[in-house]
Amino acid sequence: MVDWRLFDPLIEYARKRSMWIVAFCTGCGGIEMPPLATARYDFERFGIMPNPAPRMADLFLITGYVTPKTLKRIIITYEMQPDPKYVLAHGSCPLNGGIYWDAYNAIKHLDKYIPVDVAIAGCMPRPEAVMDGIQKMMELIETGKADGWKRYRENYEYYRKNQDELFGEGWRERTARMWIPWLMKGNNRGEE
Amino acid sequence: MIETALKVLFILLYATFVGFMFMGIIRIVTARIHRRVGPPIYQPILDTIKLLSKESNITHGFIYDFGILYAVGATILAVMFIPLGSIGVLRAYGDLILITFLLEIPMLGIMFAAMSSGNPWAGIGAQRALLTLLAIQVPLGFAVIALAEYYGTFSTYEIVMAQQISGWSIAHFPLLLAAIAYDLVLQAMFGKEPFDIMIAPGEISLGPMVEFGGKHMGLLNIQHAIALFAETLFFSNIFLGGGVVTAFSSPVLNTIAGLLVLLVKQIAVLLVATFMAAIFPRFTIDQAAKFYWKWPTIIAALGAILASL
Ligand code: SF4
């Protein structure tokens, strides 16, 4: 048998140098992403590639305030990613609500619903700051401390409880079926 | 027997490695065109290692796994038939139609896998990919006919040998027309920009690739590398004179020189494709089908008629 642990440094290096981002732009921070990817602050230097499909992604940038409606999609996208996956929360809003501290419709602590590995403060952070966060994330991956995906697996009850508290039990099915009555009604009207 | 096995192994490793370098070159050149620094050249290798080392994998059933293996296998088989300088395992049997056919089989494997995932984006992507595949057949067929008419043979190896005597194919006017049509078709075969309708990042998520993650995507990366190698190799063999060097007295030196000459030609083909990809926006699928049935078809048909005169 080959001892796969021998290759661990190589694998860690590859994971660190080729983080693919799932292009999920929430909130104002979405506007800070294109400058990162284009000519001035080019993050492809570090092998980062924006990718529209969650199945191929490793790095999940939460780029701003999260409403409950978005949080459902964020959780589903997060769970679709294969396993070594990292979350970088970006801006003050995912940390503690930021300027939306008294909004009825913004999530105050993202960390209660999905595990966050690195957080960057700022409203909104400069691309340099995001680069700094990415650098930090690389360090954590290299030392094996970016273990949000392990925490999510081990403490799934905790995260699940918080999610259910917010949305109510069975929210996945309810969200999926949300449009069916509306569509049926539309069809009937079309026939009349 | 052992010699053949070693040759197969060598071709496989060489094709994979050079294919990965080609993918790196494409990314660097695109970045430089955008005035960016771009990733290091070995970036695709790191991507593949990362994808293969994912700890959780999804599968949607037997066909989902089998389609990927089918695509990889077909690509490897295609490489074996194309003469690689003076190395070649099955080059005596590699006729034009067989290789053209084998280079399109991987697309079908990917389509199988994508369709069995049940994702609607993958379904749309597969539909577009099959329509593109249908559209490129017409100019491709005329280009192959032009070559066969001109040289009087279907064998790729004999065409390479004939070019040793009579000069490169693109130096003859009818074959130049065929080469232009084939180069336009290559753009769709690489999945590059004006005709990357089947993948269409941003437009339909990632098309057929949308459900592949982890090890499946890693295998597809390897397949993409070998396919890039095979397609550029085929083009340089039939139109750019292949890589048969007889300048040195020792056969080993000749082989190495042949590989280098081929490498230069392949990179030239690749760069033309990259430049086109960087400056043209994507066609919609109906425009692409109309385009392929119009200009490349006219050019290639003209080439075929002139070649048979
Ligand atoms: S932290 Fe500021 S910039 Fe970022 S989403 Fe919140 S309000 Fe917008």
Side-chain angles (χ1 to χ4, degrees):
Chain A
M1 254 328 272
V2 191
D3 193 354
W4 286 104
R5 272 169 305 170
L6 269 181
F7 296 99
D8 266 0
L10 176 67
I11 290 176
E12 294 297 335
Y13 182 72
R15 279 181 188 163
K16 169 183 128 187
R17 292 301 302 237
S18 110
M19 291 189 281
W20 289 1
I21 292 181
V22 52
F24 193 110
C25 293
T26 84
C28 331
I31 217 73
E32 207 64 22
M33 288 289 299
L36 261 179
T38 46
R40 185 155 182 195
Y41 308 96
D42 169 29
F43 63 17
E44 213 187 351
R45 284 178 289 159
F46 307 118
I48 297 176
M49 193 161 75
N51 220 329
R55 292 280 190 214
M56 292 182 207
D58 315 287
L59 186 62
F60 197 1
L61 283 180
I62 311 286
T63 53
Y65 57 81
V66 178
T67 59
K69 202 172 168 183
T70 321
L71 186 61
K72 287 177 191 165
R73 277 79 186 173
I74 288 184
I75 291 168
I76 292 171
T77 311
Y78 183 71
E79 287 175 358
M80 270 170 86
Q81 295 171 19
D83 237 349
K85 50 191 172 189
Y86 319 102
V87 179
L88 196 153
H90 162 171
S92 317
C93 287
L95 276 181
N96 56 7
I99 56 168
Y100 300 110
W101 59 275
D102 64 345
Y104 68 95
N105 203 17
I107 300 298
K108 305 301 175 316
H109 296 283
L110 182 68
D111 214 7
K112 273 162 67 181
Y113 306 100
I114 58 171
V116 174
D117 290 306
V118 175
I120 312 162
C123 176
M124 55 182 52
R126 297 247 337 138
E128 288 99 330
V130 184
M131 284 298 209
D132 200 41
I134 288 172
Q135 211 74 46
K136 180 77 186 163
M137 179 70 85
M138 286 182 171
E139 259 169 50
L140 291 185
I141 292 173
E142 198 169 28
T143 48
K145 282 190 199 133
D147 53 355
W149 53 281
K150 274 185 205 151
R151 273 185 282 139
Y152 193 69
R153 245 196 228 164
E154 283 158 12
N155 309 330
Y156 186 62
E157 282 85 48
Y158 169 77
Y159 290 113
R160 188 64 197 256
K161 186 176 75 52
N162 285 340
Q163 292 165 8
D164 282 349
E165 248 167 38
L166 186 68
F167 305 127
E169 296 271 341
W171 56 274
R172 286 161 213 256
E173 287 72 36
R174 258 190 291 118
T175 319
R177 291 178 197 285
M178 194 165 68
W179 296 106
I180 295 179
W182 186 82
L183 280 175
M184 302 305 276
K185 210 165 56 182
N187 274 348
N188 289 342
R189 205 183 296 143
E191 277 162 19
E192 279 162 17
Chain B
M1 188 63 219
I2 290 200
E3 199 189 340
T4 318
L6 279 180
K7 262 189 194 167
V8 169
L9 199 67
F10 171 77
I11 294 180
L12 206 56
L13 289 179
Y14 182 75
T16 318
F17 180 75
V18 176
F20 275 132
M21 290 299 123
F22 282 180
M23 285 163 81
I25 289 174
I26 291 181
R27 283 177 73 175
I28 291 184
V29 170
T30 315
R32 292 292 152 84
I33 290 173
H34 298 163
R35 279 209 180 181
R36 286 189 283 121
V37 180
I41 193 169
Y42 50 83
Q43 183 64 42
I45 299 184
L46 291 183
D47 288 347
T48 311
I49 294 177
K50 177 208 72 180
L51 285 168
L52 289 178
S53 71
K54 286 275 183 194
E55 299 194 8
S56 64
N57 275 289
I58 37 137
T59 173
H60 294 283
F62 174 68
I63 294 290
Y64 186 71
D65 303 333
F66 172 75
I68 307 279
L69 292 181
Y70 181 73
V72 178
T75 322
I76 291 174
L77 190 62
V79 166
M80 293 304 154
F81 277 112
I82 308 175
L84 174 64
S86 50
I87 317 167
V89 185
L90 298 166
R91 67 180 177 197
Y93 310 99
D95 77 36
L96 291 174
I97 294 179
L98 178 72
I99 297 173
T100 329
F101 174 66
L102 277 179
L103 287 178
E104 277 157 19
I105 288 281
M107 209 57 217
L108 292 181
I110 297 173
M111 289 311 112
F112 284 159
M115 293 300 249
S116 73
S117 73
N119 190 318
W121 294 125
I124 295 177
Q127 207 180 0
R128 291 164 158 228
L130 291 181
L131 193 52
T132 320
L133 210 59
L134 190 70
I136 63 175
Q137 296 307 317
V138 187
L140 200 57
F142 277 121
V144 168
I145 289 173
L147 272 172
E149 271 292 337
Y150 193 87
Y151 289 111
T153 171
F154 270 113
S155 156
T156 316
Y157 191 59
E158 275 170 33
I159 288 179
V160 173
M161 285 336 240
Q163 288 177 61
Q164 285 299 110
I165 302 159
S166 66
W168 292 7
S169 292
I170 52 168
H172 313 296
F173 183 66
L175 292 186
L176 179 65
L177 293 181
I180 292 172
Y182 199 100
D183 200 59
L184 289 172
V185 166
L186 265 190
Q187 212 71 10
M189 280 162 78
F190 288 155
K192 287 255 143 249
E193 215 79 78
F195 305 107
D196 68 337
I197 309 146
M198 47 211 172
I199 303 172
E203 191 181 339
I204 46 165
S205 198
L206 271 182
M209 312 300 193
V210 68
E211 273 289 308
F212 299 131
K215 299 207 164 62
H216 294 85
M217 194 58 210
L219 277 181
L220 273 187
N221 246 0
I222 295 175
Q223 186 268 333
H224 186 63
I226 304 180
L228 263 186
F229 182 82
E231 281 150 12
T232 50
L233 182 64
F234 187 50
F235 188 89
S236 5
N237 261 326
I238 56 178
F239 289 115
L240 301 182
V244 183
V245 177
T246 45
F248 302 103
S249 52
S250 108
V252 180
L253 271 182
N254 273 338
T255 311
I256 294 174
L259 286 184
L260 284 180
V261 167
L262 265 181
L263 202 61
V264 172
K265 289 174 183 171
Q266 280 173 290
I267 289 178
V269 177
L270 199 70
L271 285 184
V272 171
T274 317
F275 293 156
M276 266 208 258
I279 54 176
F280 284 110
R282 184 181 308 137
F283 276 154
T284 61
I285 181 67
D286 54 324
Q287 287 169 340
K290 266 186 213 147
F291 177 83
Y292 272 126
W293 284 338
K294 209 175 188 180
W295 297 115
T297 306
I298 293 173
I299 295 173
L302 203 62
I305 293 168
L306 288 182
S308 63
L309 286 182

PDB file of all heavy atoms in Angstrom, chain B residues 18-39:
ATOM      1  N   VAL B  18       2.645  17.698 -21.483  1.00  0.00           N
ATOM      2  CA  VAL B  18       2.630  18.817 -22.431  1.00  0.00           C
ATOM      3  C   VAL B  18       1.238  19.444 -22.497  1.00  0.00           C
ATOM      4  O   VAL B  18       1.096  20.657 -22.595  1.00  0.00           O
ATOM      5  CB  VAL B  18       3.102  18.338 -23.818  1.00  0.00           C
ATOM      6  CG1 VAL B  18       2.989  19.445 -24.826  1.00  0.00           C
ATOM      7  CG2 VAL B  18       4.530  17.888 -23.731  1.00  0.00           C
ATOM      8  N   GLY B  19       0.204  18.604 -22.381  1.00  0.00           N
ATOM      9  CA  GLY B  19      -1.154  19.142 -22.385  1.00  0.00           C
ATOM     10  C   GLY B  19      -1.382  20.089 -21.219  1.00  0.00           C
ATOM     11  O   GLY B  19      -1.960  21.161 -21.383  1.00  0.00           O
ATOM     12  N   PHE B  20      -0.881  19.693 -20.041  1.00  0.00           N
ATOM     13  CA  PHE B  20      -1.023  20.589 -18.889  1.00  0.00           C
ATOM     14  C   PHE B  20      -0.263  21.889 -19.111  1.00  0.00           C
ATOM     15  O   PHE B  20      -0.756  22.975 -18.771  1.00  0.00           O
ATOM     16  CB  PHE B  20      -0.528  19.910 -17.624  1.00  0.00           C
ATOM     17  CG  PHE B  20      -1.570  19.050 -16.982  1.00  0.00           C
ATOM     18  CD1 PHE B  20      -1.277  17.768 -16.578  1.00  0.00           C
ATOM     19  CD2 PHE B  20      -2.839  19.535 -16.783  1.00  0.00           C
ATOM     20  CE1 PHE B  20      -2.241  16.984 -15.990  1.00  0.00           C
ATOM     21  CE2 PHE B  20      -3.813  18.761 -16.199  1.00  0.00           C
ATOM     22  CZ  PHE B  20      -3.509  17.473 -15.805  1.00  0.00           C
ATOM     23  N   MET B  21       0.939  21.782 -19.707  1.00  0.00           N
ATOM     24  CA  MET B  21       1.690  23.005 -19.993  1.00  0.00           C
ATOM     25  C   MET B  21       0.904  23.882 -20.964  1.00  0.00           C
ATOM     26  O   MET B  21       0.869  25.105 -20.830  1.00  0.00           O
ATOM     27  CB  MET B  21       3.048  22.659 -20.599  1.00  0.00           C
ATOM     28  CG  MET B  21       4.011  22.028 -19.631  1.00  0.00           C
ATOM     29  SD  MET B  21       4.379  23.131 -18.274  1.00  0.00           S
ATOM     30  CE  MET B  21       3.911  22.159 -16.901  1.00  0.00           C
ATOM     31  N   PHE B  22       0.250  23.245 -21.954  1.00  0.00           N
ATOM     32  CA  PHE B  22      -0.548  24.018 -22.913  1.00  0.00           C
ATOM     33  C   PHE B  22      -1.667  24.768 -22.198  1.00  0.00           C
ATOM     34  O   PHE B  22      -1.930  25.928 -22.486  1.00  0.00           O
ATOM     35  CB  PHE B  22      -1.159  23.089 -23.971  1.00  0.00           C
ATOM     36  CG  PHE B  22      -0.204  22.663 -25.040  1.00  0.00           C
ATOM     37  CD1 PHE B  22      -0.611  21.822 -26.051  1.00  0.00           C
ATOM     38  CD2 PHE B  22       1.098  23.111 -25.034  1.00  0.00           C
ATOM     39  CE1 PHE B  22       0.259  21.430 -27.033  1.00  0.00           C
ATOM     40  CE2 PHE B  22       1.984  22.727 -26.013  1.00  0.00           C
ATOM     41  CZ  PHE B  22       1.557  21.875 -27.022  1.00  0.00           C
ATOM     42  N   MET B  23      -2.324  24.070 -21.260  1.00  0.00           N
ATOM     43  CA  MET B  23      -3.394  24.754 -20.520  1.00  0.00           C
ATOM     44  C   MET B  23      -2.829  25.939 -19.760  1.00  0.00           C
ATOM     45  O   MET B  23      -3.437  27.018 -19.714  1.00  0.00           O
ATOM     46  CB  MET B  23      -4.064  23.785 -19.545  1.00  0.00           C
ATOM     47  CG  MET B  23      -4.985  22.802 -20.204  1.00  0.00           C
ATOM     48  SD  MET B  23      -5.344  21.418 -19.136  1.00  0.00           S
ATOM     49  CE  MET B  23      -6.612  22.098 -18.105  1.00  0.00           C
ATOM     50  N   GLY B  24      -1.633  25.764 -19.167  1.00  0.00           N
ATOM     51  CA  GLY B  24      -0.983  26.870 -18.471  1.00  0.00           C
ATOM     52  C   GLY B  24      -0.660  28.002 -19.423  1.00  0.00           C
ATOM     53  O   GLY B  24      -0.876  29.177 -19.111  1.00  0.00           O
ATOM     54  N   ILE B  25      -0.156  27.642 -20.617  1.00  0.00           N
ATOM     55  CA  ILE B  25       0.199  28.678 -21.600  1.00  0.00           C
ATOM     56  C   ILE B  25      -1.040  29.472 -21.992  1.00  0.00           C
ATOM     57  O   ILE B  25      -1.004  30.699 -22.068  1.00  0.00           O
ATOM     58  CB  ILE B  25       0.852  28.034 -22.838  1.00  0.00           C
ATOM     59  CG1 ILE B  25       2.244  27.520 -22.498  1.00  0.00           C
ATOM     60  CG2 ILE B  25       0.943  29.032 -23.980  1.00  0.00           C
ATOM     61  CD1 ILE B  25       2.903  26.758 -23.594  1.00  0.00           C
ATOM     62  N   ILE B  26      -2.150  28.755 -22.200  1.00  0.00           N
ATOM     63  CA  ILE B  26      -3.383  29.471 -22.577  1.00  0.00           C
ATOM     64  C   ILE B  26      -3.739  30.481 -21.499  1.00  0.00           C
ATOM     65  O   ILE B  26      -4.060  31.644 -21.784  1.00  0.00           O
ATOM     66  CB  ILE B  26      -4.544  28.475 -22.758  1.00  0.00           C
ATOM     67  CG1 ILE B  26      -4.316  27.628 -23.988  1.00  0.00           C
ATOM     68  CG2 ILE B  26      -5.861  29.215 -22.890  1.00  0.00           C
ATOM     69  CD1 ILE B  26      -5.409  26.653 -24.240  1.00  0.00           C
ATOM     70  N   ARG B  27      -3.655  30.058 -20.219  1.00  0.00           N
ATOM     71  CA  ARG B  27      -4.052  30.973 -19.147  1.00  0.00           C
ATOM     72  C   ARG B  27      -3.104  32.151 -19.039  1.00  0.00           C
ATOM     73  O   ARG B  27      -3.538  33.285 -18.838  1.00  0.00           O
ATOM     74  CB  ARG B  27      -4.147  30.216 -17.826  1.00  0.00           C
ATOM     75  CG  ARG B  27      -5.410  29.404 -17.745  1.00  0.00           C
ATOM     76  CD  ARG B  27      -5.515  28.592 -16.520  1.00  0.00           C
ATOM     77  NE  ARG B  27      -5.792  29.397 -15.350  1.00  0.00           N
ATOM     78  CZ  ARG B  27      -6.028  28.890 -14.154  1.00  0.00           C
ATOM     79  NH1 ARG B  27      -6.039  27.588 -13.984  1.00  0.00           N
ATOM     80  NH2 ARG B  27      -6.262  29.663 -13.135  1.00  0.00           N
ATOM     81  N   ILE B  28      -1.794  31.885 -19.192  1.00  0.00           N
ATOM     82  CA  ILE B  28      -0.834  32.996 -19.088  1.00  0.00           C
ATOM     83  C   ILE B  28      -1.021  33.970 -20.234  1.00  0.00           C
ATOM     84  O   ILE B  28      -1.060  35.193 -20.033  1.00  0.00           O
ATOM     85  CB  ILE B  28       0.608  32.465 -19.081  1.00  0.00           C
ATOM     86  CG1 ILE B  28       0.869  31.730 -17.787  1.00  0.00           C
ATOM     87  CG2 ILE B  28       1.597  33.605 -19.241  1.00  0.00           C
ATOM     88  CD1 ILE B  28       2.267  31.261 -17.667  1.00  0.00           C
ATOM     89  N   VAL B  29      -1.154  33.438 -21.457  1.00  0.00           N
ATOM     90  CA  VAL B  29      -1.268  34.330 -22.615  1.00  0.00           C
ATOM     91  C   VAL B  29      -2.540  35.171 -22.505  1.00  0.00           C
ATOM     92  O   VAL B  29      -2.529  36.372 -22.751  1.00  0.00           O
ATOM     93  CB  VAL B  29      -1.238  33.506 -23.915  1.00  0.00           C
ATOM     94  CG1 VAL B  29      -1.605  34.371 -25.095  1.00  0.00           C
ATOM     95  CG2 VAL B  29       0.126  32.923 -24.122  1.00  0.00           C
ATOM     96  N   THR B  30      -3.650  34.524 -22.078  1.00  0.00           N
ATOM     97  CA  THR B  30      -4.889  35.294 -21.905  1.00  0.00           C
ATOM     98  C   THR B  30      -4.686  36.386 -20.868  1.00  0.00           C
ATOM     99  O   THR B  30      -5.126  37.530 -21.052  1.00  0.00           O
ATOM    100  CB  THR B  30      -6.017  34.357 -21.456  1.00  0.00           C
ATOM    101  OG1 THR B  30      -5.970  33.189 -22.257  1.00  0.00           O
ATOM    102  CG2 THR B  30      -7.354  35.016 -21.614  1.00  0.00           C
ATOM    103  N   ALA B  31      -3.977  36.050 -19.771  1.00  0.00           N
ATOM    104  CA  ALA B  31      -3.746  37.052 -18.732  1.00  0.00           C
ATOM    105  C   ALA B  31      -2.906  38.203 -19.274  1.00  0.00           C
ATOM    106  O   ALA B  31      -3.200  39.370 -18.997  1.00  0.00           O
ATOM    107  CB  ALA B  31      -3.062  36.409 -17.536  1.00  0.00           C
ATOM    108  N   ARG B  32      -1.880  37.891 -20.053  1.00  0.00           N
ATOM    109  CA  ARG B  32      -1.031  38.968 -20.580  1.00  0.00           C
ATOM    110  C   ARG B  32      -1.803  39.854 -21.547  1.00  0.00           C
ATOM    111  O   ARG B  32      -1.591  41.057 -21.592  1.00  0.00           O
ATOM    112  CB  ARG B  32       0.203  38.380 -21.277  1.00  0.00           C
ATOM    113  CG  ARG B  32       1.167  37.718 -20.351  1.00  0.00           C
ATOM    114  CD  ARG B  32       1.854  38.712 -19.430  1.00  0.00           C
ATOM    115  NE  ARG B  32       2.224  38.077 -18.183  1.00  0.00           N
ATOM    116  CZ  ARG B  32       3.329  37.384 -18.009  1.00  0.00           C
ATOM    117  NH1 ARG B  32       4.187  37.264 -18.988  1.00  0.00           N
ATOM    118  NH2 ARG B  32       3.581  36.817 -16.856  1.00  0.00           N
ATOM    119  N   ILE B  33      -2.724  39.241 -22.297  1.00  0.00           N
ATOM    120  CA  ILE B  33      -3.537  40.066 -23.195  1.00  0.00           C
ATOM    121  C   ILE B  33      -4.391  41.025 -22.373  1.00  0.00           C
ATOM    122  O   ILE B  33      -4.619  42.166 -22.769  1.00  0.00           O
ATOM    123  CB  ILE B  33      -4.414  39.160 -24.085  1.00  0.00           C
ATOM    124  CG1 ILE B  33      -3.525  38.425 -25.074  1.00  0.00           C
ATOM    125  CG2 ILE B  33      -5.443  39.972 -24.856  1.00  0.00           C
ATOM    126  CD1 ILE B  33      -4.233  37.400 -25.872  1.00  0.00           C
ATOM    127  N   HIS B  34      -4.823  40.586 -21.173  1.00  0.00           N
ATOM    128  CA  HIS B  34      -5.601  41.483 -20.300  1.00  0.00           C
ATOM    129  C   HIS B  34      -4.721  42.382 -19.450  1.00  0.00           C
ATOM    130  O   HIS B  34      -5.215  43.016 -18.533  1.00  0.00           O
ATOM    131  CB  HIS B  34      -6.468  40.668 -19.339  1.00  0.00           C
ATOM    132  CG  HIS B  34      -7.477  39.802 -20.005  1.00  0.00           C
ATOM    133  ND1 HIS B  34      -8.086  38.770 -19.357  1.00  0.00           N
ATOM    134  CD2 HIS B  34      -7.969  39.808 -21.246  1.00  0.00           C
ATOM    135  CE1 HIS B  34      -8.915  38.170 -20.192  1.00  0.00           C
ATOM    136  NE2 HIS B  34      -8.861  38.785 -21.339  1.00  0.00           N
ATOM    137  N   ARG B  35      -3.419  42.371 -19.665  1.00  0.00           N
ATOM    138  CA  ARG B  35      -2.467  43.106 -18.826  1.00  0.00           C
ATOM    139  C   ARG B  35      -2.489  42.616 -17.391  1.00  0.00           C
ATOM    140  O   ARG B  35      -2.429  43.393 -16.442  1.00  0.00           O
ATOM    141  CB  ARG B  35      -2.783  44.600 -18.820  1.00  0.00           C
ATOM    142  CG  ARG B  35      -2.262  45.318 -19.999  1.00  0.00           C
ATOM    143  CD  ARG B  35      -1.994  46.718 -19.565  1.00  0.00           C
ATOM    144  NE  ARG B  35      -1.481  47.496 -20.661  1.00  0.00           N
ATOM    145  CZ  ARG B  35      -1.153  48.753 -20.517  1.00  0.00           C
ATOM    146  NH1 ARG B  35      -1.315  49.342 -19.365  1.00  0.00           N
ATOM    147  NH2 ARG B  35      -0.666  49.407 -21.526  1.00  0.00           N
ATOM    148  N   ARG B  36      -2.626  41.310 -17.222  1.00  0.00           N
ATOM    149  CA  ARG B  36      -2.528  40.758 -15.881  1.00  0.00           C
ATOM    150  C   ARG B  36      -1.252  39.943 -15.789  1.00  0.00           C
ATOM    151  O   ARG B  36      -0.590  39.697 -16.800  1.00  0.00           O
ATOM    152  CB  ARG B  36      -3.725  39.838 -15.606  1.00  0.00           C
ATOM    153  CG  ARG B  36      -5.008  40.565 -15.370  1.00  0.00           C
ATOM    154  CD  ARG B  36      -6.090  39.640 -14.893  1.00  0.00           C
ATOM    155  NE  ARG B  36      -6.654  38.850 -15.955  1.00  0.00           N
ATOM    156  CZ  ARG B  36      -6.645  37.520 -15.968  1.00  0.00           C
ATOM    157  NH1 ARG B  36      -6.069  36.862 -15.001  1.00  0.00           N
ATOM    158  NH2 ARG B  36      -7.194  36.851 -16.950  1.00  0.00           N
ATOM    159  N   VAL B  37      -0.908  39.517 -14.583  1.00  0.00           N
ATOM    160  CA  VAL B  37       0.290  38.705 -14.428  1.00  0.00           C
ATOM    161  C   VAL B  37      -0.029  37.257 -14.782  1.00  0.00           C
ATOM    162  O   VAL B  37       0.715  36.595 -15.491  1.00  0.00           O
ATOM    163  CB  VAL B  37       0.816  38.788 -12.987  1.00  0.00           C
ATOM    164  CG1 VAL B  37       2.064  37.951 -12.843  1.00  0.00           C
ATOM    165  CG2 VAL B  37       1.105  40.218 -12.637  1.00  0.00           C
ATOM    166  N   GLY B  38      -1.147  36.784 -14.301  1.00  0.00           N
ATOM    167  CA  GLY B  38      -1.544  35.429 -14.643  1.00  0.00           C
ATOM    168  C   GLY B  38      -0.915  34.397 -13.724  1.00  0.00           C
ATOM    169  O   GLY B  38       0.018  34.689 -12.988  1.00  0.00           O
ATOM    170  N   PRO B  39      -1.445  33.178 -13.755  1.00  0.00           N
ATOM    171  CA  PRO B  39      -0.953  32.124 -12.864  1.00  0.00           C
ATOM    172  C   PRO B  39       0.381  31.572 -13.355  1.00  0.00           C
ATOM    173  O   PRO B  39       0.764  31.825 -14.498  1.00  0.00           O
ATOM    174  CB  PRO B  39      -2.051  31.067 -12.980  1.00  0.00           C
ATOM    175  CG  PRO B  39      -2.587  31.254 -14.345  1.00  0.00           C
ATOM    176  CD  PRO B  39      -2.492  32.702 -14.654  1.00  0.00           C
TER     177      PRO B  39
END
